[in-house]
Amino acid sequence: MEAVAAVFALLVVLFLVLGAYATVKVVGAAKRGVDRTINQARRTVEDHTLRAKSFAQPGPAGEVAQLRLKLRTSMRATQEALHAGVAEDESLKESLGLFERLSAHGQELDAELRRLESEPDRATLAGRMPSLRERTDRITESADALRWAARDRARRFAEDDLDSLSAQIDVEAGALRHWTTTEPPRAAAPSAPGTKTPGTKSPGAPTSAPTPPWPEAPPAAAGSADPRQTWPETPGARTAEEPTRPAITPPGPRPTYPWQKKPRPESTT
């Protein structure tokens, strides 16, 4: 009984630990989701505020807001492009490391521009604008170069894959339509100059004489009963009146010698 109680208590403790762990994970995920939503909302509000200041405030203050909006838009687009591409292309990790170093300079410049938005000395602000504009352009150009390089690389890989796939599909389509493939007709070889094609006559060649006819048989003489032709007969041309010679000559009587025995007559009994 005590063993059953101990097992039951152990199971209760295990369930409590698992429940606490699951609760912590759920709360952490929810907190991260809330923080992400708050950051996105804050970023959206700041972007709209900067866009409004760039149009509403003339002079250096409006230009500072415009520089901040340009910097934030470029850095955010490059960050999203690199994070989306590094999941498919491992070679973008180095580019992502370079962007993180560039982001440090971009955040420093954004913080400086934020402080200068409330600067009351407009003359000092106007004197510092050329250097701020140059830094902003350098950072945004570097971020744009990384972003477009990553996009061009992804597009190039997609085009190569599409070309390979199209070639394979063409081969498969040709194999499926095997009955439509015909061999190209062979071109006739050009004849060399001076050679004649059988059946053709060259111009100026003498015409060959016609073949002479077979001689006719002479008329049979009076009183001759054999009206056969007079030209040489062929080996197989024989009349039916001649006797046919045997193919094998019959054996003659064998000569007898004194030392040979006389043949015995066969017994009829």
Side-chain angles (χ1 to χ4, degrees):
M1 195 67 182
E2 295 178 358
V4 175
V7 171
F8 182 74
L10 184 60
L11 290 176
V12 170
V13 172
L14 182 60
F15 283 138
L16 290 176
V17 171
L18 290 177
Y21 178 77
T23 302
V24 171
K25 296 296 277 185
V26 170
V27 171
K31 184 179 180 181
R32 287 192 297 271
V34 171
D35 293 341
R36 191 183 304 109
T37 303
I38 292 175
N39 291 334
Q40 186 175 0
R42 184 186 296 116
R43 194 163 51 241
T44 303
V45 172
E46 288 180 357
D47 291 344
H48 285 290
T49 303
L50 291 174
R51 189 172 289 106
K53 286 182 179 180
S54 63
F55 288 108
Q57 296 181 357
E63 190 173 358
V64 167
Q66 188 175 1
L67 290 178
R68 283 193 67 195
L69 182 62
K70 178 181 178 181
L71 177 66
R72 291 163 63 92
T73 304
S74 177
M75 297 297 289
R76 187 181 306 118
T78 304
Q79 183 180 11
E80 293 176 355
L82 291 179
H83 280 287
V86 75
E88 300 178 357
D89 190 0
E90 295 292 335
S91 61
L92 291 179
K93 287 185 177 180
E94 186 176 357
S95 301
L96 189 59
L98 294 175
F99 175 74
E100 290 176 357
R101 294 173 56 186
L102 184 65
S103 296
H105 293 277
Q107 291 174 0
E108 181 181 355
L109 178 60
D110 184 67
E112 184 177 357
L113 291 174
R114 186 186 297 110
R115 290 191 300 267
L116 292 176
E117 285 181 355
S118 57
E119 176 64 37
D121 191 357
R122 301 298 178 183
T124 304
L125 181 60
R128 297 188 59 182
M129 286 305 301
S131 61
L132 294 174
R133 193 182 301 110
E134 181 183 1
R135 288 175 60 189
T136 304
D137 291 341
R138 290 179 60 185
I139 293 176
T140 53
E141 287 176 1
S142 299
D144 293 344
L146 281 176
R147 182 175 68 254
W148 283 110
R151 290 176 178 176
D152 292 343
R153 181 181 178 85
R155 180 179 55 83
R156 180 64 179 179
F157 285 163
E159 289 179 356
D160 292 343
D161 189 21
L162 181 59
D163 293 341
S164 176
L165 181 60
S166 299
Q168 294 178 5
I169 290 176
D170 292 341
V171 171
E172 183 65 20
L176 292 177
R177 297 192 185 97
H178 61 88
W179 63 89
T180 60
T181 57
T182 56
E183 296 183 357
R186 297 181 179 177
S191 58
T195 58
K196 293 194 301 180
T197 307
T200 60
K201 296 181 180 180
S202 59
T207 306
S208 59
T211 305
W214 289 97
E216 297 181 359
S224 175
D226 188 8
R228 292 179 294 178
Q229 60 185 10
T230 59
W231 56 75
E233 60 177 321
T234 58
R238 294 183 179 274
T239 58
E241 298 178 359
E242 296 181 357
T244 305
R245 294 180 179 179
I248 301 176
T249 305
R254 293 183 178 182
T256 58
Y257 300 94
W259 60 81
Q260 291 182 345
K261 293 182 180 182
K262 294 181 179 180
R264 292 181 180 182
E266 294 182 359
S267 176
T268 57
T269 60

